[in-house]
């Protein structure tokens, strides 16, 4: 799901979604190389703005897809907002969870407790923080008990909307979340019976513990995953 700020199909003013899609899986970049994964389908759900109605349309599209195909899905939601969330979004995220849609969301980039943000605080999402290549928490990444896992989100190389052969780099929890989502997609491909809890448990099995550091503070889940 991505806020693209589209005003007409050819007028894309944000690279956010194109970049995230490339991190999850591209032809030559990404965690899941789509040229090697013929049974995987990457679907984009575009929002013209951050208006509530746009979010509802996006979530409803996902719910319709899960209902009609009866398939599991990995959903990346690189979005967080301060507060407890609004009821329509809360209800739809829970509905997606009940339909075996597994949502990965970004923890946010305000260097504060992710439990103060929605959907990172939701029990129905897997929330991802950002670590640097030296395995320190990236300075701006949100943190705390709401963060389930950390992933690489610093100086990530991925696709650009500028052309079919353009690439760029970016930093943020928005790019850590699809990294972990791509790992999860690979796991699900080999374990199609996995549900939310199975998948999170397997991710944590693959992760390393006690290496994420936030300036000596100890209120972290201290989990990270790298590929």
């Amino acid at each position: 799901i991505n806020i693209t700020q589209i005003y007409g199909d050819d007028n894309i003013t944000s690279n956010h979604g194109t970049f995230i899609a490339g991190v999850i899986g591209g032809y030559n970049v990404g965690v899941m190389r789509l040229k090697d994964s013929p049974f995987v389908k990457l679907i984009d759900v575009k929002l013209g703005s951050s208006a509530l109605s746009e979010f509802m349309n996006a979530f409803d599209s996902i719910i319709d897809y899960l209902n009609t195909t009866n398939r599991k899905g990995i959903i990346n939601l690189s979005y967080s907002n301060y507060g407890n969330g609004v009821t329509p979004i809360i209800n739809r995220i829970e509905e997606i969870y009940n339909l075996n849609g597994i949502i990965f969301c970004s923890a946010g980039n305000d260097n504060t407790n992710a439990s103060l943000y929605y959907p990172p605080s939701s029990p129905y999402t897997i929330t991802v923080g950002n670590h640097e290549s030296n395995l320190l928490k990236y300075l701006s990444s949100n943190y705390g008990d709401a963060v389930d896992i950390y992933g690489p989100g610093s100086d990530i190389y991925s696709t650009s909307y500028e052309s079919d052969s353009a690439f760029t780099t970016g930093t943020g929890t928005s790019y850590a979340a699809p990294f972990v989502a791509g790992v999860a997609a690979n796991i699900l491909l080999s374990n199609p019976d996995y549900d939310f809890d199975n998948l999170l448990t397997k991710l944590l099995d693959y992760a390393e513990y006690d290496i994420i550091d936030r300036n000596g503070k100890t209120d972290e889940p201290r989990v990270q995953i790298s590929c």
Side-chain angles (χ1 to χ4, degrees):
I1 303 176
N2 180 59
I3 303 171
T4 53
Q5 295 176 307
I6 294 180
Y7 306 98
D9 288 343
D10 297 323
N11 186 13
I12 303 175
T13 60
S14 170
N15 192 54
H16 197 244
T18 303
F19 192 101
I20 287 167
V23 175
I24 297 173
Y27 192 77
N28 292 310
V29 295
V31 178
M32 172 168 277
R33 298 294 170 87
L34 295 184
K35 66 179 179 180
D36 301 321
S37 307
F39 302 108
V40 175
K41 186 175 184 180
L42 191 63
I43 302 172
D44 65 322
V45 181
K46 300 174 182 177
L47 284 73
S49 73
S50 58
L52 179 60
S53 60
E54 295 278 354
F55 274 98
M56 295 303 97
N57 289 337
F59 285 126
D60 288 343
S61 295
I62 293 168
I63 290 167
D64 287 345
Y65 177 81
L66 294 172
N67 270 318
T68 56
T69 63
N70 197 30
R71 297 176 63 184
K72 291 186 175 70
I74 301 288
I75 298 103
N76 185 83
L77 179 56
S78 286
Y79 170 82
S80 63
N81 194 45
Y82 187 82
N84 296 323
V86 294
T87 300
I89 291 180
I90 292 171
N91 290 343
R92 279 167 174 78
I93 284 178
E94 183 174 358
E95 185 173 357
I96 289 170
Y97 170 87
N98 289 330
L99 289 169
N100 286 317
I102 303 167
I103 297 177
F104 288 79
C105 73
S106 53
N109 303 296
D110 295 314
N111 191 30
T112 190
N113 197 314
S115 64
L116 301 174
Y117 292 72
Y118 196 85
S121 61
S122 171
Y124 304 112
T125 62
I126 296 174
T127 298
V128 184
N130 173 15
H131 74 71
E132 301 181 62
S133 58
N134 59 8
L135 302 181
L136 294 176
K137 183 189 82 71
Y138 190 77
L139 179 63
S140 65
S141 175
N142 287 351
Y143 53 84
D145 290 342
V147 178
D148 295 294
I149 196 165
Y150 284 82
S154 305
D155 296 321
I156 301 300
Y157 182 77
S158 187
T159 44
S160 169
Y161 73 92
E162 293 178 345
S163 78
D164 290 344
S165 59
F167 299 90
T168 187
T169 58
T171 294
T173 59
S174 280
Y175 311 135
F179 191 104
V180 180
V183 173
N186 277 301
I187 294 172
L188 192 61
L189 190 62
S190 301
N191 302 275
D193 293 331
Y194 274 13
D195 60 12
F196 180 102
D197 292 331
N198 298 141
L199 189 54
L200 179 56
T201 297
K202 181 60 73 172
L203 284 170
L204 297 181
D205 285 346
Y206 285 155
E208 298 177 68
Y209 287 71
D210 298 320
I211 57 175
I212 294 294
D213 182 40
R214 186 170 67 86
N215 300 323
K217 297 183 179 180
T218 58
D219 59 346
E220 286 302 287
R222 294 179 175 268
V223 179
Q224 69 90 25
I225 191 163
S226 304
C227 290

